[in-house]
Amino acid sequence: MARIALVTGGSRGIGAAISKRLKSEGYEVAATYAGNDDAAAAFTAETGIKTYKWNVASYEDSAAGIAKVEADLGPIDVVVANAGITRDAPFHKMTPEQWHQVVDTNLTGVFNTVHPIWPGMRERKFGRVIVISSINGQKGQFAQVNYAATKAGDLGIVKSLAQEGARAGITANAICPGYIATEMVMAVPEKVRESIIGQIPTGRLGEPDEIARCVSFLASDEAGFINGSTISANGGQFFV
Ligand code: CAA
């Protein structure tokens, strides 16, 4: 029987590449989205992957949405907590609202996504939790105190979950993408983006599928001994 995978923020950007790759490898995939109905409908029409709309910042909505996915497809074996937003501003201009929006979606959203799925994984003695963090959680970033804090938090989440889930056959790992060619990165002012690309030894932005490949590896049976770790896929930027 096909394994079931849930990808939050799975209809656009890196998430869409993850959904597509997992489907191509035989998983039954459910992709969530928060608001862009047109993009989700186009994604389903293109891929045949079912999309579900809920806000990962709400525990109640997440739990209800996950129950619906499990009723439709079956118990979730692989959860990819990918949904994330930016509200960039230099710290002296960052508002409490910008702080809370990013923390609620990017960090609390991981709790809200994994927590309702976790008991079933424990019972079935198998699970793969994959959290999409960021290079900016490892190195910090100008104008991203909020975002970097959440992405660093992801690393603490997976290291802790790894210890709790190991005996139950569950692994929890993070991927730290560098700068990937998505709408999020294309929204960075061109001058700033060009200067960032100049800091990437590979000399280019990454492709979404280069992150999706990391996910499919971590989701596989063969990755069972990899637990609490972080895969950095950043074109070497972390090392400069
Ligand atoms: N490094 C150093 N300096 C930077 C900078 C950076 N990354 N980004 C902006 N600055 C500079 C600007 O050039 C400007 O300098 P000057 O005043 O000398 O011209 C100053 O900081 C900012 O000026 P403002 O006070 O006018 O800033 P603002 O309130 O208009 O905010 C900004 C502008 C939101 C910071 C905008 O420049 C921006 O979006 N910067 C990019 C931030 C970024 O890299 N975000 C990453 C998004 S991609 C992502 O998050 C995905 C991932 O996981 C990798």
Side-chain angles (χ1 to χ4, degrees):
M1 249 192 36
R3 288 214 162 118
I4 314 296
L6 175 72
V7 184
T8 65
S11 68
R12 293 196 297 144
I14 291 174
I18 294 169
S19 298
K20 286 193 229 173
R21 175 152 288 278
L22 291 178
K23 182 176 186 225
S24 77
E25 292 179 357
Y27 293 84
E28 186 89 49
V29 180
T32 82
Y33 70 102
N36 194 330
D37 294 316
D38 291 344
F43 177 77
T44 299
E46 178 205 333
T47 63
I49 294 171
K50 253 186 125 168
T51 52
Y52 294 81
K53 184 178 185 177
W54 73 74
N55 179 1
V56 297
S58 159
Y59 189 86
E60 288 68 30
D61 292 1
S62 298
I66 286 162
K68 168 104 177 72
V69 170
E70 294 201 320
D72 288 353
L73 304 181
I76 294 166
D77 302 295
V78 177
V79 55
V80 186
N82 164 76
I85 59 169
T86 54
R87 294 290 181 270
D88 294 354
F91 188 55
H92 63 281
K93 290 186 185 172
M94 188 172 283
T95 63
E97 195 190 4
Q98 288 173 317
W99 168 264
H100 286 297
Q101 282 177 345
V102 171
V103 169
D104 291 352
T105 300
N106 295 13
L107 190 62
T108 308
V110 175
F111 177 87
N112 295 343
T113 299
V114 179
H115 192 260
I117 296 171
W118 189 254
M121 287 182 166
R122 279 166 48 90
E123 268 166 35
R124 294 186 301 276
K125 299 268 179 282
F126 180 84
R128 294 282 185 265
V129 175
I130 300 161
V131 182
I132 306 302
S133 175
S134 166
I135 185 174
N136 291 344
Q138 297 172 303
K139 72 167 188 56
Q141 173 60 31
F142 189 102
Q144 287 201 312
V145 164
N146 50 3
Y147 184 87
T150 64
K151 296 301 181 178
D154 288 340
L155 307 185
I157 290 175
V158 298
K159 284 178 183 151
S160 303
L161 285 181
Q163 294 177 37
E164 293 197 23
R167 297 275 171 94
I170 306 171
T171 66
N173 295 287
I175 297 167
C176 284
Y179 282 78
I180 308 300
T182 61
E183 282 172 42
M184 186 184 272
V185 168
M186 292 330 227
V188 171
E190 196 179 348
K191 230 177 86 192
V192 178
R193 195 171 61 246
E194 287 308 320
S195 112
I196 289 169
I197 294 172
Q199 295 160 30
I200 303 173
T202 310
R204 64 171 175 87
L205 296 173
E207 292 301 325
D209 195 51
E210 292 178 299
I211 304 307
R213 284 169 181 274
C214 300
V215 171
S216 81
F217 169 61
L218 289 174
S220 68
D221 284 345
E222 291 78 8
F225 200 60
I226 300 171
N227 204 0
S229 63
T230 300
I231 297 183
S232 298
N234 58 30
Q237 187 182 357
F238 185 60
F239 304 102
V240 297

